[in-house]
Amino acid sequence: MFLRAIFTALSCGALFIVISDNVPTWVEVLAWVYILGMMLVGVMTLKADQIIAWCDKQLANKNDKNTP
């Protein structure tokens, strides 16, 4: 529950930082990195089945090459 509150505060804070005018540039860059990172995590979550299938295929190909 504590982590959920922390991530909710970070997400809301990042949006307010991007919208605000009186914020240092490095803080705004960190906010954009956080927003884009969360979007990347969301896309990876939606594509998890395909990512797992690709990883299994890569491991199967690696194991086939190593067998005598």
Side-chain angles (χ1 to χ4, degrees):
M1 183 67 183
F2 180 70
L3 287 177
R4 184 177 290 178
I6 294 292
F7 282 115
T8 301
L10 283 173
S11 297
C12 292
L15 291 175
F16 290 130
I17 288 170
V18 169
I19 293 170
S20 179
D21 291 334
N22 299 327
V23 176
T25 305
W26 66 272
V27 175
E28 190 172 348
V29 169
L30 284 177
W32 276 111
V33 167
Y34 179 80
I35 291 169
L36 294 175
M38 288 296 112
M39 290 174 65
L40 180 66
V41 168
V43 169
M44 288 176 60
T45 302
L46 291 173
K47 301 285 185 177
D49 292 336
Q50 295 171 353
I51 294 171
I52 291 170
W54 181 81
C55 290
D56 288 340
K57 181 179 171 185
Q58 295 298 317
L59 287 173
N61 288 342
K62 183 179 178 183
N63 289 338
D64 289 343
K65 290 178 183 177
N66 290 334
T67 56

